[in-house]
Amino acid sequence: MSIFSFFRSAPRPSAVQAKERLQIVMAHERAGRTGPDYLPMLQQELLSVIAKYIDIDQNKVEVKLDRGGDCSTLELNIELPAREQLKSAMAAVKGAKPEPKPADTADGEAKRSAANGPLTDGGVKKRH
Amino acid sequence: MSKIIVMTSGKGGVGKTTSSAAFATGLALRGFKTVVIDFDVGLRNLDLVMGCERRVVFDFINVINGEAKLSQALIKDKRIDNLYILPTSQTRDKDALTREGVERVLNDLSKEFDYILCDSPAGIERGALMSLYFADHAIIVTNPEVSSVRDSDRILGVLNSRSRRAEQGLEPVSQQLLLTRYDPDRVERGEMLKVDDVLEILAIPLLGVIPESQAVLRASNVGMPVILDEASNAGQAYTDAVGRFLGEEIEHRFVSPQKKGLFSRLLRRSA
């Protein structure tokens, strides 16, 4: 260490940045490499099933497979259309009028997993 | 039983051919009958680095196509007994490198040689895949630099999935890292990845660290494998690496800066 080091705060060495950037990009690439090759197919088929019942935007869908030590998770993240659109879309699918709902938050987006919202519940389960 | 080694890296220009020439020479110096094969079809260069460019008559592709006998294409090194070079073709297209053809030539060579060293081309195309397919050992040549490290990781993935050993479910190809063009001064200044950083990221054992050295260019200028420049750091580092490859325990040299006086250090820091 030279005496000059006392008078200025050392900038972060570029080698440290190199290592961090490599670790991030390679963690991502390795995960992609070890992923099973049926994933795109699975994604396509899942989407076509959901699309049969709900009018979804194919671009607003995320499918992620996380490999853990003792358990792996398949995460499906589908953005549903706004409620009004959803109601009419489902009415068209079921060929019947949707039951009237209490006037709740009108335009809130129904997001996240397909089993969450009351609307999707009704839509999918009643078909059994 | 002969062993097949592939010298590979993914990225170009990191020192595969320099390292292949040095390593093959080192193995031959230890008394092993060694052949080094150039897999870079179309971009022949091992012959220049080994200094036998004017003796090439037939090549690897001629042998694969049955246009020449293996003994006609093999070039015996003039300096070292036990060392042979199999140059590649400069003109033919890469499709000439068929898996069956490569396998046949490697089988013939393995009857005669202790070590078959395959000098891979850059990239992950046919030539590179063929050079690593039959390998027992892989030496991954890497520079302490982001794109080289990333490409090395890609090549490790290819070795683990697309080599013969991987496809047939045999014991995996053994993998060792050869870190080349290492500059301990720049590492100390925080301008270059440390050996340990690269090891942590790639997670394979370290075969050797070859310091950045002017001897490498001097050696290739005259067509002499740098390992024969015994006075140079790089030459000594390759000799050590060959010893480690053969199972000897040799401490790593040239990984920390050479000692400098206080005066010159202060000068450099404030410059």
Side-chain angles (χ1 to χ4, degrees), chain A residues 15 19 23 26 29-30 33, chain B residues 150 153 190 197 200-201:
Chain A
K19 185 182 180 187
Q23 282 173 323
M26 282 168 50
E29 286 172 355
R30 282 175 183 160
R33 205 186 299 151
Chain B
R150 183 200 215 173
D153 191 63
D197 292 340
E200 185 187 330
I201 293 168

Side-chain angles (χ1 to χ4, degrees), chain A residues 1-5 8 13-19 21-23 25-26 29-30 33, chain B residues 145-146 149-150 153-154 156-157 189-193 197 200-202 265-266 269-270:
Chain A
M1 275 286 156
S2 83
I3 51 166
F4 297 101
S5 311
R8 53 164 192 241
S14 61
V16 173
Q17 297 182 46
K19 185 182 180 187
R21 290 175 59 224
L22 271 173
Q23 282 173 323
V25 70
M26 282 168 50
E29 286 172 355
R30 282 175 183 160
R33 205 186 299 151
Chain B
E145 180 268 326
V146 287
V149 175
R150 183 200 215 173
D153 191 63
R154 289 272 288 152
L156 288 170
R189 294 203 294 272
E191 294 174 3
M192 184 179 268
L193 289 164
D197 292 340
E200 185 187 330
I201 293 168
L202 293 179
R265 264 165 54 185
L266 278 174
R269 288 287 167 117
S270 54

Side-chain angles (χ1 to χ4, degrees), chain A residues 1-63:
Chain A
M1 275 286 156
S2 83
I3 51 166
F4 297 101
S5 311
F6 285 103
F7 299 110
R8 53 164 192 241
S9 64
R12 217 155 61 100
S14 61
V16 173
Q17 297 182 46
K19 185 182 180 187
E20 288 171 2
R21 290 175 59 224
L22 271 173
Q23 282 173 323
I24 292 166
V25 70
M26 282 168 50
H28 189 254
E29 286 172 355
R30 282 175 183 160
R33 205 186 299 151
T34 52
D37 37 9
Y38 58 75
L39 208 57
M41 202 66 157
L42 176 72
Q43 176 170 352
Q44 271 308 312
E45 288 182 25
L46 278 173
L47 284 182
S48 64
V49 170
I50 292 164
K52 260 166 81 179
Y53 302 99
I54 309 165
D55 187 21
I56 49 170
D57 182 348
Q58 299 272 333
N59 295 319
K60 293 182 176 172
V61 175
E62 251 182 87
V63 180

